[in-house]
Amino acid sequence: MLDKYGRNIDYLRISITDRCNLRCKYCMPDGCGKVAHEDVLSYEEFLRLAGIFAALGFRHFRVTGGEPLVREGAADFVRALKRVPGVEKVTMTTNGLLLTKYGPALAEAGLDGVNISLDTTRPERLEAITGARDVAARVDEAVALMRSLGVPVKINAVLLRETAPDICALAEYAAAGVPVRFIELMPVGEGRYLSGYDPDEALAALRRRWPDLHPEDVKLGFGPAAYYKSAGLSAPIGFIDAVSHRFCSGCNRVRLTSQGYLKPCLCFDEGADLRALLRGGRTDGEIREAIRAAVRNKPRQHCFENPAAMTERHLMSQIGG
Ligand code: SAM
Ligand code: SF4
């Protein structure tokens, strides 16, 4: 459906849980509170909402979290989402740790693609970021498994100051055929207090290793990444630099939190409490109108350059990234 600025909004990110088996320092600091189980939507509630979103023209649904795979039944949820009339693609963003357990079920459920988050391949640095050991090795295993199952994989890495020396090693995944996307650190949640690595500097560093890296008009999935190719890399490298290269005019997405709160923009807290409508006995038509109004009023652009003007105060793990 169109918002009031004429953007076609057809992509919904659904966070099915705020819980996670990692504690990435920009996302979910140790000791942060958890949402009570009864406040999290059931899969049935998510599916009812998905049907209403699909009827409004939403076509791509991404399952995220927290860590989506710590919630039991995630693969069955993917299967059910794929069957909702109007839904064309269902993808997932995960830290990858549980893919060795659930990868086959997800592939069998029809998952159309998986983005695996990995900020560096250096074990000690990754442990300092995520709070866990052996993450890189487990992700590597997960990448191989998902590729062998025929599910398209991309690697997503947040650009942090301390991982600057590691980006070429991580980009080697692209030499092995897996697209790697570098995400600019956003001042959401704990991201406000950390130092990111400038995407332009990162690109310059990658060009020292692959001098022919050049922009290429590739479309992978439904996101805003700008891609670059090199003869030395069999897959592209992407940049999702929402802060320094604003792409709000082409934004196509809204977010649904695990508590059923519809968030039209990452930067602002204003949205629609769909859980209250669902649990208040409202009809599909009434919920549809609430979604339509919230999406129509999606803000024109973020204000990450001026964090004081942001009204979003939640952690990224509660929003879904
Ligand atoms: N647990 C899953 C994962 O890590 O992929 C899904 C949820 S996580 C919140 C989704 C994505 O948001 C991850 O790629 C993570 O790196 C990214 N992210 C979290 N906080 C961020 C921040 N402040 N700025 C940029 N990206 C962030
Ligand atoms: Fe968990 Fe993903 Fe957040 Fe890391 S980025 S703490 S894996 S939700």
Side-chain angles (χ1 to χ4, degrees):
M1 64 163 288
L2 296 183
D3 73 359
K4 69 177 174 204
Y5 300 105
R7 294 172 295 195
N8 186 25
I9 314 297
D10 61 357
Y11 173 18
L12 179 68
R13 295 176 69 100
I14 304 179
S15 170
I16 59 172
T17 179
D18 65 309
R19 287 162 166 72
C20 188
N21 46 358
L22 291 182
R23 290 289 177 273
C24 302
K25 62 183 194 176
Y26 45 77
C27 179
M28 194 180 186
D30 252 335
C32 68
K34 288 183 186 148
V35 174
H37 278 297
E38 60 273 22
D39 290 337
V40 173
L41 294 197
S42 67
Y43 285 134
E44 291 70 25
E45 288 173 316
F46 277 126
L47 288 168
R48 181 173 166 207
L49 290 180
I52 301 172
F53 276 97
L56 279 166
F58 281 71
R59 295 290 170 258
H60 178 200
F61 293 71
R62 178 171 291 278
V63 180
T64 175
E67 171 49 41
L69 293 176
V70 301
R71 180 160 177 184
E72 213 161 305
D76 288 336
F77 177 59
V78 167
R79 186 193 323 277
L81 254 185
K82 289 277 296 184
R83 291 189 181 141
V84 172
V87 171
E88 285 175 8
K89 295 274 185 220
V90 177
T91 54
M92 179 175 279
T93 297
T94 168
N95 62 34
L97 296 186
L98 290 169
L99 280 174
T100 36
K101 184 169 178 191
Y102 295 117
L106 288 165
E108 197 264 322
L111 189 71
D112 292 294
V114 63
N115 289 354
I116 304 182
S117 302
L118 180 70
D119 296 337
T120 167
T121 50
R122 278 188 60 172
E124 66 288 358
R125 201 110 73 195
L126 199 54
E127 185 176 341
I129 295 168
T130 64
R133 291 210 171 145
D134 295 332
V135 173
R138 290 167 71 185
V139 166
D140 197 53
E141 216 181 308
V143 170
L145 173 68
M146 297 313 285
R147 293 182 83 192
S148 74
L149 291 166
V151 179
V153 177
K154 298 188 214 104
I155 299 280
N156 283 346
V158 175
L159 286 168
L160 297 167
R161 197 24 79 190
E162 69 259 39
T163 53
D166 310 343
I167 61 165
C168 288
L170 190 63
E172 289 291 345
Y173 266 107
V178 181
V180 176
R181 289 114 51 89
F182 292 102
I183 304 176
E184 188 171 17
L185 180 70
M186 291 181 277
V188 177
E190 292 297 289
R192 272 177 185 233
Y193 313 111
L194 300 171
S195 309
Y197 179 34
D198 180 74
D200 292 333
E201 281 181 45
L203 179 59
L206 291 166
R207 279 202 167 118
R208 286 194 283 280
R209 168 78 175 76
W210 291 282
D212 67 332
L213 207 57
H214 57 279
E216 186 97 13
D217 195 12
V218 230
K219 190 86 189 121
L220 293 180
F222 302 81
Y227 285 101
Y228 295 80
K229 279 190 162 178
S230 154
L233 299 169
S234 48
I237 289 182
F239 282 87
I240 303 177
D241 35 16
V243 187
S244 54
H245 298 100
R246 182 196 297 284
F247 39 70
C248 300
S249 62
C251 186
N252 60 353
R253 64 198 53 200
V254 293
R255 294 170 168 84
L256 185 62
T257 71
S258 60
Q259 299 174 76
Y261 191 77
L262 175 60
K263 273 188 58 59
C265 178
L266 255 187
C267 197
F268 304 104
D269 200 23
E270 290 72 23
D273 183 358
L274 302 183
R275 185 184 64 191
L277 302 181
L278 278 172
R279 296 188 180 173
R282 301 302 186 90
T283 63
D284 281 11
E286 288 170 319
I287 296 173
R288 188 176 60 236
E289 287 320 304
I291 295 173
R292 205 198 292 276
V295 174
R296 251 198 83 63
N297 287 321
K298 182 175 160 66
R300 191 161 72 89
Q301 56 186 31
H302 67 64
C303 60
F304 288 149
E305 69 290 354
N306 176 20
M310 290 173 61
T311 53
E312 181 56 72
R313 291 285 173 271
H314 290 94
L315 296 170
M316 200 63 121
S317 58
Q318 295 164 330
I319 302 168

